Amino acid sequence: MPNDKLRVKREATPSCAKPGEVMSRSELAEAVNAYLWEARGQRYNLDAHAIKRYESGKVGWPGDAYREGLRAVLAAATDADLGFRPTRRGRLRGAHKSTTPTNMTHDLLGTVDLGLSPADFLARVSVETPIPRRIGWTDVDHVRATTRAVALSENLFGGGLSCEAAIAQLRWAARLIEVQASDEVRYAIFESVGNLSSVVAYSAFDVGDYDAADKYFKFALWCADQGKSWALRANTLAEMARKSAYVGDLDGALSLIEFAQVRSDRVSATARAMLWAIRARVLALTNRTNEAIADVRHADAYFADRDPSSDPPWLCYYDEAEHQGSTGKALISVARARKKVELAAPRLEIAIRLQGSEYRRSRTFSRTRLAALLMAAGDPREAVLIGQQAVVDAASLRSQRIVEELNGLARASKKYVGIGDVAELRQDIASLARTGT
């Protein structure tokens, strides 16, 4: 009997690679493999063919790991929500596990002595993966798929659980740019490796390693130049501008975003919307509020004219939710200065409503920023409700930026410590910061 529940869940999940379309079986398999790599530290090889068999009902009870991964990616609470039913073999396997008091491998081998700490032991183990003598489009697709998996993991868990694995992937991918290829493939491999480097840089930025972020951004820019990719150049400079603004270098951030806008006629309307939104943010932080509002209007106009089919692969994240969140963030300083929360709050509210479970970190940022805005210039009790949910969401993320944003919310709430719920929120934030997200 076909497993309609699994199929319906998949088709209700939007594709990241192809905006406007549903998640494909292949994309679902990649997402599950990426999740299990981060959650279990092991490589899994689920593919589209296996997903098809699950949906057809030919496999009624996948392994524990695959069920865990499918539940996480498709935001399902139980196996039953995905239509999985234990076969006789599955029931017997479960019964065997429940009656086995110890691990069989442990029984056979006894206590394993590594002789070193786990980290030192693994540091001395390496695998030399062979590099082909000539690369083609399959290799380009491999790097792009790796980048999608890294980006998905970062959005789900923050940079802390993604950066190390992504660096290893980048080192291997970078070796491909020295291999023989046609000119067309060579340009594409430079662009795809540069995109992966930009994602690694942003992960390093997310965990607070700014020096490493700068180096990986620099490598991404070099790849963009070698691959003659204006789109990658603009995107990397924009990410560098975000980082500069975050650390307080507003002059540097403005220079970077204006460099990114050079020859913006060569990038898509979606990219232009993203660039104008970042510029608006920088201008707002320098108290050039009228110019910031004008830039948000420019961003809105370009976003209205976007054609997702013309976007490069890495811009799949910049959808309606991201645009509302980015422009809302840009207008926060304006709203606080003018004590008009309505200038930014509605955009942040839309972003929160639209940001799905696959963009958990983005949604946590939006909630934290909205709560801080309401605490500073709106209703503190409403701010507490939103802030409490942000704290709950942040517990599953490994992001230094999330910690700092929550600390900003705590500072904004200081004047309302007499309100019991506010005091409790501040305590929760302090506890989360001590344990580390």
Side-chain angles (χ1 to χ4, degrees):
M1 180 182 296
N3 185 348
D4 291 330
K5 286 188 177 181
L6 178 59
R7 177 184 57 78
V8 169
K9 266 288 190 180
R10 174 179 62 80
E11 292 179 350
T13 304
S15 168
C16 181
K18 297 179 180 180
E21 297 185 15
V22 302
M23 177 178 276
S24 66
R25 293 184 180 116
S26 177
E27 191 174 1
L28 174 57
E30 288 179 8
V32 169
N33 290 335
Y35 169 84
L36 292 174
W37 168 247
E38 295 298 338
R40 297 194 173 204
Q42 298 180 34
R43 295 191 181 278
Y44 289 82
N45 297 304
L46 189 65
D47 57 21
H49 178 67
I51 299 295
K52 183 178 180 180
R53 295 185 70 207
Y54 295 157
E55 292 183 353
S56 70
K58 293 180 179 179
V59 177
W61 193 249
D64 292 344
Y66 288 144
R67 297 201 311 277
E68 175 190 338
L70 288 164
R71 288 196 306 270
V73 174
L74 297 176
T78 67
D79 290 335
D81 291 338
L82 297 179
F84 292 140
R85 59 192 187 281
T87 60
R88 182 174 182 271
R89 180 182 177 186
R91 288 194 296 270
L92 291 173
R93 187 169 58 211
H96 173 74
K97 288 183 178 179
S98 66
T99 58
T100 302
T102 58
N103 182 279
M104 184 173 294
T105 301
H106 181 272
D107 287 345
L108 291 173
L109 299 180
T111 301
V112 178
D113 183 7
L114 298 180
L116 300 164
S117 70
D120 289 338
F121 178 82
L122 292 176
R124 298 186 182 188
V125 181
S126 62
V127 177
E128 290 295 328
T129 306
I131 295 294
R133 296 181 179 179
R134 184 176 181 85
I135 59 173
W137 287 107
T138 298
D139 302 288
V140 174
D141 289 340
H142 184 181
V143 177
R144 289 173 177 171
T146 297
T147 306
R148 288 196 299 272
V150 170
L152 174 64
S153 172
E154 186 191 24
N155 285 319
L156 284 171
F157 307 111
L161 292 180
S162 307
C163 200
E164 289 286 347
I167 289 170
Q169 298 277 8
L170 176 61
R171 286 172 179 159
W172 180 86
R175 294 165 64 192
L176 296 176
I177 63 180
E178 300 176 347
V179 178
Q180 290 183 350
S182 67
D183 288 344
E184 190 177 10
V185 169
R186 180 170 300 284
Y187 290 144
I189 201 70
F190 270 118
E191 185 181 68
S192 58
V193 171
N195 182 27
L196 177 55
S197 186
S198 182
V199 172
V200 171
Y202 208 79
S203 295
F205 165 41
D206 194 50
V207 299
D209 192 337
Y210 303 140
D211 289 339
D214 288 341
K215 291 175 182 176
Y216 289 117
F217 278 135
K218 181 178 180 180
F219 183 70
L221 279 178
W222 178 80
C223 287
D225 180 57
Q226 298 298 312
K228 304 184 186 302
S229 174
W230 285 91
L232 178 60
R233 174 186 180 276
N235 191 74
T236 304
L237 287 169
E239 302 288 25
M240 294 171 69
R242 291 180 197 267
K243 179 253 178 183
S244 293
Y246 187 83
V247 300
D249 181 11
L250 299 181
D251 287 340
L254 187 58
S255 295
L256 286 166
I257 198 61
E258 289 180 348
F259 276 131
Q261 290 178 306
V262 172
R263 294 309 306 268
S264 61
D265 59 306
R266 296 193 177 189
V267 302
S268 68
T270 307
R272 293 185 216 181
M274 178 266 293
L275 296 174
W276 280 108
I278 296 175
R279 187 173 187 272
R281 168 69 172 163
V282 177
L283 292 176
L285 290 173
T286 57
N287 297 317
R288 294 163 64 177
T289 55
N290 290 332
E291 292 174 81
I293 292 172
D295 279 6
V296 168
R297 292 197 188 102
H298 285 306
D300 286 343
Y302 280 118
F303 190 80
D305 290 339
R306 67 193 283 258
D307 175 11
S309 66
S310 67
D311 290 331
W314 56 81
L315 264 184
C316 67
Y317 81 94
Y318 201 88
D319 55 8
E320 177 71 21
E322 183 67 24
H323 179 70
Q324 294 294 338
S326 294
T327 52
K329 176 184 177 183
L331 292 170
I332 288 174
S333 298
V334 180
R336 293 183 68 164
R338 299 185 180 184
K339 298 189 180 303
K340 293 183 177 180
V341 297
E342 64 271 16
L343 290 175
R347 291 176 182 263
L348 295 171
E349 290 167 353
I350 292 172
I352 292 167
R353 187 171 70 249
L354 295 179
Q355 283 161 337
S357 58
E358 69 272 24
Y359 288 104
R360 187 184 304 157
R361 184 182 57 184
S362 297
R363 188 173 56 192
T364 305
F365 273 129
S366 295
R367 280 182 170 145
T368 305
R369 290 161 184 161
L370 178 58
L373 173 60
L374 292 172
M375 198 70 77
D379 181 355
R381 288 180 171 80
E382 183 182 359
V384 166
L385 295 176
I386 299 169
Q388 287 172 336
Q389 185 59 58
V391 170
V392 171
D393 292 345
S396 63
L397 297 167
R398 297 294 179 267
S399 167
Q400 182 61 29
R401 290 190 302 142
I402 289 289
V403 173
E404 293 177 5
E405 291 269 358
L406 285 169
N407 286 337
L409 171 58
R411 289 191 295 272
S413 66
K414 187 175 181 179
K415 59 183 177 180
Y416 296 113
V417 290
I419 300 175
D421 288 346
V422 174
E424 184 178 343
L425 173 64
R426 287 168 57 83
Q427 290 174 358
D428 290 343
I429 292 173
S431 176
L432 196 65
R434 282 195 298 270
T435 58
T437 61

